[in-house]
């Protein structure tokens, strides 16, 4: 293809929506792959890293048939290069704009998952499961640091992980930043994939109100109680304005997903009510925001 002046026009490879999925063994790569298929991606599973650029070019050449392509990589194989960040850099130099999704989980959770299916870790050799996990983490450290989307699956079941991926990638318009407002309980640990962490423990706990104890922050009685406390609405409004003000900057820097974590003690009452309200206010500000509740139902 040439311009009116006769100069060659470089092909626009950014029109090919490329998603690269990697992460720790047992973290949920297969679930992510199935979820991407559900929302229309052409998924290539267990692609050798050495073929990453070739597959991207094939997807570009196929145009409509593979315009949205996801490549699921297992970078542990010693038969191929393990320089995933370098491979992604090569894609960008070629004109592609890939997004990398990294799935992770706590060591204890990974060990339970392997033991439940009576499988050894691919890298443990003659050692223990924990040795294999540690070796893989070292191998994947740089890829994890450079990921566009980091998802910790420690407290997510299969359906929750699938829903999160489908929500993130279900719309073809990826120009607007997508915000997940995630409630959690501090007693279960901080969400490692959070960009902002908000602490709702300054509010009175509905747990100590007998008629509210068994209800959740998604229910009107609890939400009304939480948002009716002194400082609650100001808290939500302040963070809504902050997120709305910083979102354009994140978009300019190429960030497409924000996770706003809202915590209380157990993740059942205060954080859930605040997350629901914050997501609602962000939507009013024309941000693509949705609430999720990591620890609801764990008590």
């Amino acid at each position: 293809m040439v311009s009116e002046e006769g100069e060659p026009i470089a092909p626009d490879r950014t029109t090919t929506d490329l998603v690269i999925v990697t992460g720790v063994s047992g973290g949920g790569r297969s679930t992510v792959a199935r979820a991407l298929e559900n929302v229309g991606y052409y998924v290539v599973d267990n692609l050798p890293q050495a073929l990453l650029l070739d597959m991207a070019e094939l997807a570009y050449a196929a145009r409509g048939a593979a315009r949205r392509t996801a490549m699921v990589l297992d970078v542990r194989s010693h038969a191929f290069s393990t320089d995933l960040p370098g491979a992604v850099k090569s894609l960008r130099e070629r004109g592609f704009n890939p997004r990398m999704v990294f799935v992770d989980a706590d060591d204890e959770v990974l060990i339970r998952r392997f033991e439940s299916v009576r499988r050894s870790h691919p890298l443990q050799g003659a050692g223990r499961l924990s040795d294999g996990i540690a070796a893989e983490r070292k191998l994947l450290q740089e890829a994890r640091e450079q990921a566009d989307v980091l998802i910790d699956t420690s407290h997510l079941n299969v359906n929750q992980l699938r829903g999160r991926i489908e929500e993130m990638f279900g719309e073809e318009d990826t120009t607007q930043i997508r915000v997940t407002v995630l409630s959690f309980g501090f007693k279960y640990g901080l969400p490692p994939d959070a960009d902002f962490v908000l602490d709702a423990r300054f509010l009175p706990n509905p747990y100590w109100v007998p008629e509210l104890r068994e209800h959740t922050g998604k229910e009107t009685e609890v939400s009304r109680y939480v948002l009716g406390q002194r400082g609650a609405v100001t808290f939500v409004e302040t963070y809504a304005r902050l997120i709305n003000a910083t979102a354009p900057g994140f978009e300019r820097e190429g960030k497409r997903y924000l996770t706003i974590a809202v915590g209380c003690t157990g993740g059942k009452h205060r954080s859930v009510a605040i997350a629901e309200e914050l997501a609602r206010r962000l939507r009013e500000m024309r941000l693509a925001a949705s609430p999720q509740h990591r620890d609801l139902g764990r008590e």
Side-chain angles (χ1 to χ4, degrees):
M1 183 180 294
V2 296
S3 67
E4 293 180 357
E5 293 76 20
E7 296 294 325
I9 299 175
D12 183 9
R13 290 180 170 85
T14 62
T15 58
T16 302
D17 182 1
L18 291 182
V19 175
I20 299 169
V21 181
T22 189
V24 298
S25 301
R29 289 193 308 266
S30 296
T31 300
V32 171
R34 289 191 294 270
L36 288 169
E37 283 185 328
N38 290 345
V39 294
Y41 278 82
Y42 177 74
V43 177
V44 184
D45 205 354
N46 291 323
L47 180 73
Q49 187 180 306
L51 300 180
L52 188 65
L53 186 55
D54 290 339
M55 186 63 232
E57 291 289 0
L58 287 172
Y60 171 73
R63 302 299 174 103
R67 190 182 66 78
R68 305 180 80 202
T69 294
M71 297 173 282
V72 185
L73 304 185
D74 183 348
V75 299
R76 299 162 299 149
S77 173
H78 296 294
F80 303 100
S81 167
T82 57
D83 180 22
L84 179 54
V88 172
K89 181 180 178 181
S90 296
L91 281 173
R92 293 198 167 104
E93 289 173 348
R94 190 68 67 92
F96 291 101
N97 186 27
R99 293 173 287 168
M100 192 194 310
V101 178
F102 192 101
V103 289
D104 203 351
D106 296 338
D107 287 4
E108 296 80 4
V109 173
L110 294 175
I111 289 171
R112 287 200 303 271
R113 290 175 182 174
F114 275 104
E115 289 179 342
S116 68
V117 294
R118 299 183 179 180
R119 285 173 46 207
S120 60
H121 190 283
L123 295 185
Q124 78 179 77
R128 299 177 300 160
L129 265 173
S130 57
D131 296 328
I133 292 170
E136 186 175 48
R137 286 201 184 283
K138 184 176 180 180
L139 191 62
L140 293 172
Q141 181 177 351
E142 189 175 0
R144 186 184 191 278
E145 292 172 351
Q146 296 188 16
D148 300 288
V149 180
L150 171 63
I151 300 179
D152 184 271
T153 68
S154 301
H155 303 295
L156 299 178
N157 61 35
V158 171
N159 290 332
Q160 290 170 328
L161 175 56
R162 184 185 299 120
R164 190 160 182 184
I165 292 298
E166 290 176 357
E167 186 174 357
M168 282 183 173
F169 295 93
E171 297 179 1
E172 295 192 14
D173 182 8
T174 59
T175 60
Q176 185 185 26
I177 197 165
R178 300 181 68 85
V179 182
T180 298
V181 187
L182 179 70
S183 73
F184 72 97
F186 277 98
K187 70 179 183 180
Y188 301 116
L190 288 169
D193 50 348
D195 296 294
F196 292 88
V197 177
L198 284 55
D199 191 345
R201 291 176 296 182
F202 72 96
L203 298 169
N205 192 347
Y207 178 86
W208 301 113
V209 180
E211 59 268 27
L212 298 179
R213 178 173 299 179
E214 300 305 319
H215 296 275
T216 77
K218 294 183 71 175
E219 298 175 67
T220 303
E221 313 95 284
V222 177
S223 177
R224 186 181 296 120
Y225 175 88
V226 172
L227 295 172
Q229 300 301 318
R230 183 179 179 181
V233 172
T234 301
F235 179 79
V236 174
E237 290 176 343
T238 299
Y239 276 105
R241 288 195 298 268
L242 172 65
I243 295 161
N244 187 50
T246 56
F250 283 119
E251 289 177 356
R252 287 193 297 270
E253 293 302 310
K255 190 171 180 64
R256 291 292 175 260
Y257 311 98
L258 273 181
T259 299
I260 315 300
V262 184
C264 63
T265 303
K268 178 179 180 179
H269 297 112
R270 293 166 292 181
S271 63
V272 173
I274 294 293
E276 291 279 338
E277 179 65 12
L278 179 56
R280 186 187 70 80
R281 289 177 181 261
L282 291 173
R283 288 194 298 271
E284 288 181 347
M285 294 174 171
R286 301 187 180 279
L287 288 175
S290 60
Q292 292 188 12
H293 308 295
R294 190 191 75 177
D295 298 324
L296 195 60
R298 293 191 68 182
E299 71 286 341

